[in-house]
Amino acid sequence: ENSQDSMYLQYCKVCQAYKAPRSHHCRKCNRCVMKMDHHCPWINNCCGYQNHASFTLFLLLAPLGCIHAAFIFVMTMYTQLYNRLSFGWNTVKIDMSAARRDPLPIIPFGLAAFAATLFALGLALGTTIAVGMLFFIQMKIILRNKTSIESWIEEKAKDRIQYYQLDEVFVFPYDMGSRWKNFKQVFTWSGVPKGDGLDWPIREGCHQYSLTIEQLKQKADKRVRSVQYKVIEDYSGTCCPLNRGIKTFFMSPCTEEPRIRLQKGEFILATRGLRYWLYGDKILDDSIKEGVSRIRGWFPRNCVEKCPCDAETDQAPEGEKKNR
């Protein structure tokens, strides 16, 4: 690394190493992942540089398999019900006890089999729609040579520039300007991703740490706009607490980010929030800082109150203005 780029290197205290461009630390895996997209609970692993293409193919093949299964279920129910339908002048009667036509089915198709087939059809169609939408989202960001995290960083960059009315234009450095070129950055005939996961082709006028520089600006902006709160009631750290009110229970953040346990008298530095929840870092004493990583997560709003110094400015946490 040259001296100009080395100043933008970010150090991971958990891994005790410098992070390469486009890499991020995963709290679930407890390690840094090259070109991290997200942590997927389905595969119990991170989606990143090595398996981004394989994961996207999984999102394609899973709906196709469900469509095939749904077709089999529909044809099965159609065939069996057709053999049991009795058409009259006024009504249509269904006799599920036995087939009216020969040959008899090898597998008996009674009420239990009909209910199970109908339930399986619903699961197949639901999976096709849900996973198909995820595949569409993944392909959308792949064709722009981005990851889910980088799309979020770019969106926050636009918000930061608009919020402060700066004369800046953020250019995403890894978009090659061609969807086909961006596609080939992830998918290859050999199945082995291009490059080494450390250095990436970039657009003209940018360099490897253009995205890192924007991240540092956003972190500095987050510290400026953060608000300090004092804990006034204990919180156990449960996902959906019943004792914090009905609205807090039903409006719990739909995210894998953790909740943090609070005790009365502690202080929290909130960086973003929802209507009934806040996200922030717990301010630790010097006596317990050594050997302890940051304690951050979501907590209910009605457990804390603004400190007097921050209540005067009445500064809203980042994310409250525009919830994502």
Side-chain angles (χ1 to χ4, degrees):
E1 296 290 344
N2 55 49
S3 58
Q4 185 178 0
D5 291 343
S6 61
M7 64 182 297
Y8 302 121
L9 284 173
Q10 292 183 297
Y11 185 77
C12 179
K13 296 181 180 179
V14 179
C15 299
Q16 296 184 352
Y18 288 98
K19 294 190 293 185
R22 308 188 79 175
S23 64
H24 301 274
H25 184 83
C26 176
R27 293 194 296 267
K28 300 286 185 179
C29 299
N30 199 29
R31 59 187 172 91
C32 289
V33 180
M34 293 187 297
K35 195 189 175 184
M36 179 179 174
D37 185 88
H38 69 287
H39 181 89
C40 179
W42 296 351
I43 61 177
N44 194 28
N45 199 0
C46 280
C47 176
Y49 164 71
Q50 293 286 351
N51 60 351
H52 199 179
S54 301
F55 178 79
T56 307
L57 290 176
F58 162 70
L59 296 182
L60 171 64
L61 297 178
L64 291 179
C66 290
I67 292 173
H68 179 250
F71 178 78
I72 295 175
F73 293 146
V74 170
M75 295 306 298
T76 300
M77 290 192 295
Y78 171 77
T79 303
Q80 296 301 321
L81 290 177
Y82 180 79
N83 292 337
R84 290 165 170 80
L85 287 176
S86 177
F87 295 94
W89 289 104
N90 298 323
T91 59
V92 177
K93 298 180 180 180
I94 300 178
D95 182 12
M96 297 296 293
S97 60
R100 297 175 56 250
R101 298 172 183 266
D102 292 328
L104 294 175
I106 298 176
I107 301 176
F109 194 79
L111 287 174
F114 175 77
T117 304
L118 192 62
F119 178 72
L121 175 62
L123 289 180
L125 294 177
T127 304
T128 301
I129 296 174
V131 182
M133 292 178 61
L134 292 177
F135 171 74
F136 175 77
I137 294 173
Q138 280 293 320
M139 286 303 303
K140 184 178 179 180
I141 63 176
I142 286 176
L143 293 178
R144 298 175 182 176
N145 202 11
K146 301 176 185 177
T147 64
S148 300
I149 296 177
E150 291 170 349
S151 297
W152 172 236
I153 294 173
E154 183 181 27
E155 188 174 350
K156 289 196 297 182
K158 295 178 181 178
D159 288 346
R160 182 184 63 85
I161 294 174
Q162 182 180 4
Y163 182 83
Y164 290 106
Q165 298 181 355
L166 301 175
D167 189 16
E168 296 181 14
V169 177
F170 177 75
V171 179
F172 186 74
Y174 305 112
D175 189 354
M176 297 291 96
S178 168
R179 293 184 178 181
W180 175 242
K181 291 181 180 179
N182 294 334
F183 180 85
K184 292 192 296 183
Q185 289 293 315
V186 178
F187 295 95
T188 59
W189 287 109
S190 62
V192 179
K194 283 187 176 182
D196 55 2
L198 302 177
D199 296 322
W200 305 91
I202 54 177
R203 298 185 62 169
E204 185 177 356
C206 302
H207 58 84
Q208 291 290 339
Y209 292 94
S210 295
L211 194 65
T212 305
I213 294 173
E214 175 58 33
Q215 283 184 271
L216 294 175
K217 291 180 180 179
Q218 292 178 10
K219 288 182 179 179
D221 179 50
K222 183 187 295 185
R223 288 191 294 268
V224 171
R225 296 164 63 181
S226 59
V227 181
Q228 186 172 337
Y229 287 82
K230 182 179 181 181
V231 180
I232 57 175
E233 294 185 19
D234 294 344
Y235 168 56
S236 61
T238 55
C239 181
C240 300
L242 288 171
N243 60 342
R244 305 314 312 170
I246 298 298
K247 294 182 179 180
T248 301
F249 176 83
F250 285 105
M251 299 299 292
S252 178
C254 186
T255 175
E256 291 185 356
E257 292 176 314
R259 276 65 170 171
I260 56 175
R261 186 189 303 268
L262 300 179
Q263 292 182 354
K264 187 176 180 180
E266 294 180 330
F267 291 92
I268 302 291
L269 199 61
T271 55
R272 52 191 169 99
L274 304 174
R275 186 173 182 179
Y276 298 101
W277 291 79
L278 290 171
Y279 184 91
D281 291 68
K282 185 180 294 188
I283 302 177
L284 303 175
D285 297 333
D286 295 336
S287 58
I288 60 176
K289 276 186 178 181
E290 297 181 0
V292 178
S293 58
R294 297 169 59 185
I295 302 177
R296 54 181 175 174
W298 290 94
F299 53 92
R301 275 185 180 269
N302 52 18
C303 290
V304 297
E305 65 177 5
K306 285 184 180 180
C307 293
C309 56
D310 289 325
E312 293 177 0
T313 58
D314 196 20
Q315 198 172 15
E318 180 185 0
E320 188 177 356
K321 176 187 63 176
K322 183 178 181 182
N323 177 27
R324 300 181 178 84

